[in-house]
Amino acid sequence: MAGLELLSDQGYRVDGRRAGELRKIQARMGVFAQADGSAYIEQGNTALAVVYGPHEIRGSRARALPDRALVNCQYSSATFSTGERKRRPHGDRKSCEMGLQLRQTFEAAVLTQLHPRSQIDIYVQVLQADGGTYAACVNAATLAVLDAGIPMRDFVCACSAGFVDGTALADLSHVEEAAGGPQLALALLPSSGQIALLEMDARLHEDQLEQVLEAAAQAARDVHTLLDRVVRQHVQEASILLGD
Amino acid sequence: MAMEMRLPVARKPLSESLGRETKKHLVVPGDTITTDTGFMRGHGTYMGEEKLIASVAGSVERVNKLVCVKALKTRYNGEVGDIVVGRITERRRSAEDELAMRGFLQEGDLISAEVQAVFSDGAVSLHTRSLKYGKLGQGVLVQVSPSLVKRQKTHFHDLPCGASVILGNNGFVWIYPTPEHKEEDAGGFIANLEPVSLADREVISRLRNCIVSLATQRMMLYDTSILYCYEASLPHQIKDILKPEIMEEIVMETRQRLLEQEG
């Protein structure tokens, strides 16, 4: 993509956003009645998350942890989610790695000590991938875990960030990711400011790390504002229906 | 065979039609409930840095010094004395168990039982040590969210419309034809396989659809609400009850009748 300007002189990105601007997010909770918890999110990407649990350990009982719950995450992207049709929806290296990252993220946030010897399953399916899929998955999974009523320390809000021409960009799209610059993915617990997961694979000078990290953290806090609104609306509607 | 099809349409939020605000204190995880350290913390909360923080999304309930957050939707948590309805999936394989129980209850049977004890990790131990519990014969099972089953003195109801219902605290509701005479000696272990009449079947189908409508509209399930819903549904055909607009109409009428009865 030679000649494609990721950041124009006036400060506009390829899709017209400013450096720190997020894409429009739309989210819904409780989309499946069969699952314990479910959520749907559109953030450039479209992701569905479904949560089952806490329930008894499936498979070998030996895997059960005596003092806390096991968190099992599976990531799957539909064959039509990317520009070129994918051959294997799940089971490939990227899906396994993503599943592991999601697991690390949620083990940090879910209060697993309250459910010893049980298992919590989180399944995430990406229907449309457009940059920052990890972030969309984490946001969807947070809503789904909340919908299931599983106790969590806080929301987990995630966002990706990059660095172009001395400016940190928040919420990268596929075009910006493909350009090959440094990309950082951050999952944050907003109220306490603690980081659940921080991942970057590229080369970035340490002087610039602070700036990129701050851009990602601010974007994650903006995501939190939005998800918070969605959850409160959902809780309020259900509360009215149940009656006082 | 006549078929009816509908196209997907965006539905407006259900609570708009009720038009009232909630008076409860609603929280989401990460919210501070109180900084007063005098409170005891209950379910749905945890202590962090001198403040009480919510861990689920729901409404805050305060009982004297105990603060807890009741989540909207939770998996069933057993408590001693609850009635549950369930299917036997696996059983302990010990010699004495084989001798005593295999004759009565087998894997795959649907039973009603009472919670005897709760273990520290959340597992429950059930007993059927009363003639009213035991194997369930012919009937219909409806699965709803456990939070919709109201806690009452008794969960076995013989409804005047001609059927009986067991409201399990775990969200499993069993609807069955009212037995002609109480079989005191047999208890709950002999299945009644006599054919059920068409009139009884229609009552049971209608009740099943009513319970599904109440659950979809997130109303609490108890004998009065089910009965009012049944009566409100009588003008409609049984299969029409599940249509969205008719469901809304029936449940709205049920809600109004319940409010009138309370007020």
Side-chain angles (χ1 to χ4, degrees):
Chain A
M1 294 222 187
L4 186 65
E5 217 178 19
L6 287 180
L7 194 65
S8 78
D9 298 325
Q10 290 88 17
Y12 290 111
R13 290 152 75 173
V14 177
D15 50 6
R17 286 186 282 151
R18 288 274 180 195
E21 213 180 306
L22 294 177
R23 286 173 291 189
K24 182 168 179 201
I25 299 180
Q26 283 181 320
R28 275 209 313 267
M29 289 169 69
V31 289
F32 290 122
Q34 311 90 302
D36 292 327
S38 55
Y40 169 85
I41 198 166
E42 279 178 17
Q43 185 186 358
N45 303 282
T46 311
L48 271 173
V50 170
V51 169
Y52 290 95
H55 52 223
E56 252 186 78
I57 302 261
R58 303 276 161 84
S60 69
R61 296 284 155 85
R63 289 197 303 143
L65 300 165
D67 58 341
R68 53 197 174 86
L70 202 68
V71 177
N72 174 35
C73 293
Q74 214 180 51
Y75 167 89
S76 160
S77 59
T79 48
F80 47 80
S81 61
T82 48
E84 276 182 22
R85 196 176 175 85
K86 280 187 61 151
R87 294 289 248 24
R88 289 179 71 185
H90 44 249
D92 61 324
R93 181 168 303 209
K94 180 171 167 251
S95 303
C96 289
E97 192 187 324
M98 188 73 94
L100 205 63
Q101 283 178 350
L102 285 172
R103 181 171 153 193
Q104 282 177 337
T105 312
F106 282 95
E107 268 180 356
V110 172
L111 294 170
T112 46
Q113 304 89 323
L114 296 176
H115 299 284
R117 293 215 292 278
S118 44
Q119 180 179 336
I120 299 173
D121 293 317
I122 304 178
Y123 299 113
V124 185
Q125 168 96 354
V126 171
L127 299 174
Q128 185 193 351
D130 186 16
T133 41
Y134 168 76
C137 292
V138 166
N139 295 334
T142 294
L143 288 180
V145 171
L146 277 183
D147 189 41
I150 297 177
M152 282 216 291
R153 199 160 284 132
D154 194 356
F155 276 77
V156 187
C157 299
C159 200
S160 56
F163 195 75
V164 164
D165 288 345
T167 322
L169 302 178
D171 196 11
L172 301 173
S173 65
H174 179 68
V175 166
E176 290 161 346
E177 274 186 2
Q183 302 160 34
L184 188 119
L186 173 75
L188 191 72
L189 273 65
S191 302
S192 47
Q194 292 174 336
I195 296 178
L197 188 126
L198 176 62
E199 197 227 1
M200 185 176 77
D201 43 356
R203 295 172 73 130
L204 184 70
H205 198 283
E206 70 173 295
D207 292 342
Q208 296 156 346
L209 179 62
E210 186 77 42
Q211 190 185 358
V212 178
L213 201 55
E214 183 47 44
Q218 183 54 44
R221 282 191 284 267
D222 292 337
V223 169
H224 173 242
T225 314
L226 215 126
L227 294 185
D228 185 275
R229 198 183 334 144
V230 167
V231 175
R232 272 186 214 274
Q233 206 168 0
H234 182 83
V235 171
Q236 184 158 47
E237 180 179 316
S239 175
I240 290 177
L241 286 177
L242 269 178
D244 298 309
Chain B
M1 187 174 73
M3 215 164 56
E4 205 182 293
M5 259 176 66
R6 282 158 188 256
L7 292 175
V9 66
R11 58 173 173 85
K12 59 177 173 38
L14 298 167
S15 54
E16 256 177 40
S17 43
L18 291 176
R20 59 172 195 256
E21 295 287 311
T22 181
K23 303 182 209 82
K24 294 187 202 167
H25 178 203
L26 300 172
V27 289
V28 297
D31 273 359
T32 308
I33 303 175
T34 178
T35 42
D36 184 356
T37 48
F39 284 106
M40 286 195 296
R41 54 178 189 82
H43 289 301
T45 64
Y46 69 97
M47 189 65 85
E49 303 166 24
E50 303 286 319
K51 347 180 243 194
L52 203 60
I53 306 179
S55 61
V56 291
S59 53
V60 176
E61 287 182 1
R62 249 175 256 249
V63 181
N64 297 334
K65 280 283 187 188
L66 180 70
V67 174
C68 61
V69 180
K70 182 161 176 270
L72 279 190
K73 210 195 316 185
T74 39
R75 272 186 95 92
Y76 170 63
N77 286 318
E79 282 172 37
V80 179
D82 279 355
I83 312 289
V84 296
V85 170
R87 198 177 285 280
I88 300 176
T89 51
E90 211 183 301
R91 41 184 323 161
R92 257 201 305 232
R93 298 183 185 286
S94 71
E96 53 165 37
D97 183 57
E98 288 269 349
L99 291 171
M101 288 305 278
R102 234 170 241 278
F104 301 122
L105 297 176
Q106 306 220 332
E107 273 157 25
D109 282 347
L110 203 62
I111 59 163
S112 66
E114 189 181 325
V115 175
Q116 186 175 41
V118 181
F119 297 109
S120 55
D121 62 354
V124 295
S125 129
L126 303 173
H127 77 86
T128 52
R129 283 198 184 125
S130 167
L131 292 175
K132 58 181 180 177
Y133 305 127
K135 193 149 66 172
L136 299 173
Q138 298 182 77
V140 170
L141 184 72
V142 184
Q143 290 182 352
V144 303
S145 168
S147 48
L148 293 175
V149 178
K150 188 167 175 173
R151 272 187 200 273
Q152 295 184 281
K153 261 194 6 211
T154 170
H155 287 251
F156 291 78
H157 302 286
D158 288 335
L159 299 174
C161 48
S164 301
V165 75
I166 304 180
L167 294 166
N169 287 92
N170 58 340
F172 281 38
V173 178
W174 178 252
I175 316 169
Y176 60 108
T178 312
E180 287 292 317
H181 46 274
K182 298 288 176 190
E183 288 149 28
E184 291 296 341
D185 48 349
F189 297 107
I190 313 290
N192 183 6
L193 292 173
E194 286 170 18
V196 179
S197 70
L198 182 62
D200 281 345
R201 281 174 198 265
E202 285 186 353
V203 169
I204 291 176
S205 307
R206 192 177 278 277
L207 271 175
R208 185 256 179 204
N209 281 358
C210 286
I211 290 177
V212 167
S213 324
L214 288 171
T216 315
Q217 299 270 330
R218 299 204 65 84
M219 273 206 72
M220 293 296 274
L221 290 173
Y222 52 108
D223 52 351
T224 318
S225 68
I226 296 175
L227 192 61
Y228 285 176
C229 191
Y230 178 87
E231 288 170 6
S233 76
L234 284 172
H236 304 277
Q237 282 200 319
I238 299 176
K239 59 180 158 72
D240 289 338
I241 300 175
L242 295 176
K243 290 188 187 157
E245 62 276 0
I246 298 186
M247 193 192 285
E248 263 183 50
E249 187 191 311
I250 293 176
V251 175
M252 188 72 74
E253 200 184 308
T254 311
R255 237 186 254 277
Q256 275 176 341
R257 258 187 91 178
L258 284 169
L259 277 176
E260 278 166 33
Q261 192 218 24
E262 282 165 31

